[in-house]
Amino acid sequence: MTKAIIDDVAELAGVSIKTVSRVVNNEPNVRPAMRDKVLNAIAQLDYRPNMSARSLAGNRSYLLGLLYGTPSAHYVLDIQEGVLATCRPQRYELIVHPCNHQDANLIEDISALVQNSRIDGVILTPPLSDNIELLHALKQMSVPFVRVAPTLNKELSAYVETNDRDASYEMTCKLIALGHSRIGFIGGHPDHRAVGLRFEGYQAAMLDNKIRPAADWIATGDSSFDSGERCAHQLLQVEPRPTAIFAANDEMAAGVILAAHQMGIDIPADLSIAGFDDTPVAHQIWPALTTIRQPIQDMAKNATELLIKQLKKSTSPLSASMLPSLIITRESTGRAPQ
Amino acid sequence: MTKAIIDDVAELAGVSIKTVSRVVNNEPNVRPAMRDKVLNAIAQLDYRPNMSARSLAGNRSYLLGLLYGTPSAHYVLDIQEGVLATCRPQRYELIVHPCNHQDANLIEDISALVQNSRIDGVILTPPLSDNIELLHALKQMSVPFVRVAPTLNKELSAYVETNDRDASYEMTCKLIALGHSRIGFIGGHPDHRAVGLRFEGYQAAMLDNKIRPAADWIATGDSSFDSGERCAHQLLQVEPRPTAIFAANDEMAAGVILAAHQMGIDIPADLSIAGFDDTPVAHQIWPALTTIRQPIQDMAKNATELLIKQLKKSTSPLSASMLPSLIITRESTGRAPQ
DNA sequence: CCCAATATTGACAGCGCTGTCAATTATCAA
DNA sequence: TTGATAATTGACAGCGCTGTCAATATTGGG
């Protein structure tokens, strides 16, 4: 028994192939009786539309592309899961395409992917989501896209964002409320703009609480564990020593914890440490990390929904949504030492 | 200027579309002069073949599917990177498809994916790679597939494996050489067969060294951090206490480290701990974990190569390859206490 | 009950490419 | 130089589906 095609269904149901097509695509104006006949035939023959033919004739592929730079594995996979969670029920498949953010061929590479006329729309994650040239290239090829967590040119596409700055502000206030005033901050990779917002939040909270952050309370890492450790060593030899360090991501915060262990500094009695992202490492280290959880997966879900909505009716205005982050309090933070 | 199609190229080059097709597909029997003319026209028009049309006419999609159960994020992403590294240069795109290993619809779901006639072949990772029904279903639909790290029915497909058992044996011997004899073992999720091999390696090494592992040195977790912590508490109250614990993956080993910290046990002076996988957490915790690094990404690369080779000439015999694991020694292991 | 307006259905022409096979050209031994 | 063989090229028919548009059926108001 060979694979059934649309003609087989049409014949068995006693209708034209066009009617079968209508049923398959949920088009209006099919009488219920017809629809049932067709549906029966489809079930009986275990008919599955051939996607290649569909794409060719209908000029759409039911394929979305997920483009990602190379942030952390967890981040990517969270996004991916979120995107897929939305794709599945809508019968879209997902093509994944990691890109080197710096690569000179980036645009060429992505154009190739898209222009093979197989991808209906793409999802961009940071730092790609802030690459203006790429955005313009996509616009010019009129490829619909959404962005997860963009920080720039928000008018260019639909997007889903979270409140990095506010969360960071809140975390800083929380540390201040615990009695800390010498609070160090470790910034992340400058390519990652969200990280800049995290710094802004910290700074604003400090100033709003009448604390002027000293220049040597602030270090800049590259988002890696090692850089966190390095920056921690640097911050922890400042006199008087900071009583808290807020790192712009969990990996760096884990590095700070290692450094503190090495220096025999007790956490949280002598030093409070806070991270950002709530990656698994946050609760796998000792002591477990106070951090900020972002609804990455939900953001990806929403973004994909926006994208698919846009594909269905290209006339609709670009929408945006905002999902809040959440502070997770664990053992790495406590009252400031006297 | 609209997108060029094959006819445009043919016209500009002054040849038939079939010749263009030959050039694009690198078919033999095209005179160099012709080839150059065509190549020029292609470059001039920035022609890109339409994949949907290609798939439809040629009955292949240049799309591979990566099916994964849900092991750790790092594992999946490593595999994914490896697969993509091979796909890219060969101009295959990758569709990712996480599956619930337990789901009753698993086979139906995957059939649907494949039968839409869009996927040329699939890559299976554990635990899917040991799902006999799935394997047979794929065989029956005559979908080419490879497996990364299968443990069962190796004759069913091409595969790439590593030596879980040997690596585990070696690690255990290493601990024994450090003077340990009361070595605990924490097994992982029973669905993950490779984890069974890890236990076998441990057991064999113990017996070969004339150590009879006591029943209460052995615990079974579910591969999660929490289960590692739980099992550690259990193992560490056995009298006399084990002087080393070997966990079947890093997450559980990290759990053991946390438990040891909580119980005030010094690592590695009082307790050596070894993990398996060399995930990032292994060096982000304190003390850093002695563990075993598997060449996951390379395995995925090789597997994908095998798959693509198979797609090109379906006659070739199924091949297999074996990549060795490597012990990484860090601070969590040391000489046994006196 | 009749007619215009509307809802439903089907015929048919591609979508852009590859496979098949026949036509044409080049090559080489005799 | 010639004929046979091999290499190269092209014409054409689909691949399985959707869009367009014309044909047919149904509906409701008068």
Side-chain angles (χ1 to χ4, degrees):
Chain A
M1 158 191 126
T2 174
K3 204 154 149 10
I5 64 174
I6 199 170
D7 304 72
D8 303 330
V9 178
E11 188 177 356
L12 180 59
V15 301
S16 75
I17 60 168
K18 182 64 211 186
T19 299
V20 177
S21 170
R22 287 199 180 91
V23 171
V24 168
N25 291 288
N26 259 310
E27 283 172 30
N29 298 338
V30 178
R31 224 161 301 173
M34 280 275 134
R35 183 178 301 278
D36 288 348
K37 276 200 294 183
V38 172
L39 253 19
N40 273 332
I42 287 178
Q44 219 172 112
L45 297 173
D46 191 29
Y47 166 69
R48 336 245 180 166
N50 178 316
M51 293 310 295
S52 304
R54 254 181 138 173
S55 318
L56 182 59
N59 205 32
R60 62 199 140 65
S61 63
Y62 286 96
L63 243 32
L64 298 185
L66 170 61
L67 305 183
Y68 57 91
T70 49
S72 82
H74 289 286
Y75 182 79
V76 172
L77 217 71
D78 261 359
I79 294 274
Q80 192 167 303
E81 296 289 320
V83 171
L84 283 165
T86 302
C87 283
R88 285 293 180 84
Q90 317 235 30
R91 326 207 100 262
Y92 276 84
E93 293 294 340
L94 182 67
I95 284 186
V96 290
H97 203 88
C99 314
N100 184 342
H101 174 48
Q102 325 269 15
D103 192 343
N105 298 338
L106 179 68
I107 308 246
E108 169 54 26
D109 173 39
I110 293 176
S111 309
L113 175 69
V114 168
Q115 301 229 350
N116 286 353
S117 93
R118 38 189 350 188
I119 286 194
D120 289 343
V122 305
I123 296 131
L124 297 177
T125 62
L128 260 29
S129 53
D130 289 322
N131 183 323
I132 310 285
E133 292 166 53
L134 174 57
L135 302 181
H136 283 302
L138 290 172
K139 267 266 184 274
Q140 207 215 314
M141 298 186 293
S142 55
V143 179
F145 62 99
V146 275
R147 286 179 288 166
V148 179
T151 57
L152 262 32
N153 296 64
K154 299 194 178 175
E155 75 289 355
L156 279 178
S157 74
Y159 64 87
V160 178
E161 64 182 346
T162 183
N163 50 351
D164 276 275
R165 189 177 179 287
D166 295 349
S168 180
Y169 184 97
E170 223 182 298
M171 177 68 91
T172 308
C173 288
K174 185 184 151 77
L175 291 170
I176 293 171
L178 284 167
H180 298 277
S181 58
R182 296 195 304 280
I183 303 174
F185 185 88
I186 303 181
H189 198 290
D191 271 359
H192 202 307
R193 304 220 170 219
V195 172
L197 296 179
R198 295 175 189 180
F199 177 65
E200 281 179 25
Y202 155 81
Q203 206 170 26
M206 295 293 269
L207 295 176
D208 285 357
N209 284 278
K210 313 270 181 278
I211 308 174
R212 200 179 162 67
D216 54 7
W217 295 353
I218 292 160
T220 301
D222 61 7
S223 299
S224 72
F225 177 82
D226 290 343
S227 74
E229 185 187 345
R230 194 164 0 100
C231 291
H233 279 291
Q234 177 191 323
L235 295 183
L236 292 173
Q237 63 193 30
V238 171
E239 282 296 338
R241 205 165 72 187
T243 62
I245 292 178
F246 181 12
N249 73 0
D250 285 351
E251 296 225 356
M252 294 194 294
V256 178
I257 287 192
L258 175 63
H261 282 143
Q262 287 168 345
M263 297 172 74
I265 298 175
D266 192 80
I267 311 168
D270 299 332
L271 179 69
S272 284
I273 299 173
F276 210 117
D277 290 340
D278 196 30
T279 54
V281 75
H283 68 269
Q284 292 176 358
I285 55 180
W286 180 77
L289 208 52
T290 291
T291 186
I292 293 165
R293 177 182 304 161
Q294 297 198 324
I296 307 289
Q297 213 164 312
D298 288 333
M299 290 171 72
K301 272 190 215 173
N302 283 16
T304 310
E305 272 160 24
L306 294 183
L307 179 59
I308 293 178
K309 196 175 298 169
Q310 199 177 326
L311 296 180
K312 288 194 171 148
K313 28 179 293 188
S314 48
T315 58
S316 66
L318 297 177
S319 24
S321 85
M322 148 77 82
L323 297 178
S325 298
L326 179 68
I327 291 189
I328 309 283
T329 305
R330 297 207 183 88
E331 293 93 55
S332 68
T333 49
R335 293 207 62 78
Q338 292 313 310
Chain B
M1 159 190 127
T2 174
K3 205 156 146 12
I5 64 175
I6 198 169
D7 305 72
D8 303 330
V9 178
E11 188 178 355
L12 180 58
V15 302
S16 76
I17 59 169
K18 182 64 211 187
T19 298
V20 176
S21 170
R22 288 198 179 91
V23 172
V24 168
N25 292 288
N26 259 310
E27 283 172 31
N29 299 337
V30 177
R31 225 162 302 172
M34 281 271 133
R35 183 177 301 277
D36 288 347
K37 278 199 293 184
V38 172
L39 253 18
N40 272 333
I42 287 178
Q44 218 172 112
L45 297 172
D46 190 31
Y47 166 70
R48 336 243 179 167
N50 178 316
M51 292 309 295
S52 304
R54 254 179 136 173
S55 316
L56 183 57
N59 204 33
R60 64 200 138 64
S61 63
Y62 285 97
L63 243 34
L64 298 185
L66 171 61
L67 305 183
Y68 58 91
T70 49
S72 82
H74 290 286
Y75 181 78
V76 172
L77 217 71
D78 261 0
I79 294 274
Q80 193 167 302
E81 295 289 320
V83 171
L84 283 165
T86 302
C87 283
R88 285 294 179 83
Q90 317 235 28
R91 325 206 100 263
Y92 277 84
E93 292 294 340
L94 182 67
I95 285 187
V96 291
H97 203 89
C99 314
N100 184 341
H101 174 48
Q102 326 269 14
D103 192 342
N105 299 337
L106 179 68
I107 308 248
E108 170 54 24
D109 173 40
I110 293 176
S111 309
L113 174 69
V114 169
Q115 302 229 348
N116 286 353
S117 94
R118 37 189 349 189
I119 285 194
D120 290 342
V122 305
I123 296 129
L124 297 178
T125 62
L128 261 28
S129 53
D130 289 321
N131 184 322
I132 309 284
E133 293 165 53
L134 173 58
L135 302 182
H136 284 302
L138 290 172
K139 266 267 185 273
Q140 206 214 315
M141 299 186 293
S142 55
V143 179
F145 63 97
V146 275
R147 287 179 287 166
V148 180
T151 58
L152 262 32
N153 298 62
K154 299 193 179 176
E155 75 288 354
L156 279 178
S157 75
Y159 64 87
V160 177
E161 63 182 346
T162 183
N163 50 351
D164 275 275
R165 190 176 179 286
D166 296 349
S168 180
Y169 184 96
E170 221 182 299
M171 177 69 91
T172 309
C173 288
K174 185 183 151 77
L175 290 170
I176 294 171
L178 284 167
H180 297 277
S181 58
R182 295 194 305 279
I183 303 173
F185 185 89
I186 303 181
H189 198 290
D191 273 359
H192 202 307
R193 304 221 169 219
V195 172
L197 297 179
R198 294 175 188 180
F199 178 65
E200 281 179 23
Y202 156 81
Q203 206 171 26
M206 294 293 269
L207 294 177
D208 285 357
N209 284 276
K210 312 274 181 272
I211 308 174
R212 198 179 165 68
D216 54 8
W217 295 353
I218 293 161
T220 301
D222 61 9
S223 299
S224 72
F225 177 82
D226 289 343
S227 73
E229 186 186 346
R230 192 161 7 95
C231 291
H233 279 291
Q234 178 190 322
L235 295 181
L236 291 173
Q237 62 192 30
V238 171
E239 283 295 340
R241 205 165 73 188
T243 61
I245 291 179
F246 181 13
N249 73 0
D250 285 350
E251 297 226 354
M252 294 195 294
V256 178
I257 287 191
L258 175 63
H261 281 145
Q262 287 168 343
M263 297 172 74
I265 297 174
D266 192 81
I267 310 167
D270 299 332
L271 180 69
S272 284
I273 300 174
F276 208 118
D277 290 340
D278 196 30
T279 54
V281 75
H283 69 267
Q284 291 176 359
I285 55 180
W286 180 77
L289 208 50
T290 292
T291 187
I292 292 163
R293 177 183 302 161
Q294 297 198 325
I296 306 290
Q297 212 163 312
D298 289 333
M299 290 172 72
K301 272 191 213 171
N302 284 16
T304 309
E305 272 159 25
L306 293 184
L307 179 59
I308 293 179
K309 197 176 299 170
Q310 198 177 328
L311 296 179
K312 288 195 169 148
K313 30 181 292 191
S314 48
T315 59
S316 66
L318 297 178
S319 25
S321 84
M322 148 77 82
L323 296 178
S325 297
L326 179 68
I327 292 189
I328 308 284
T329 305
R330 297 206 184 88
E331 293 94 55
S332 68
T333 49
R335 292 208 62 78
Q338 291 314 309

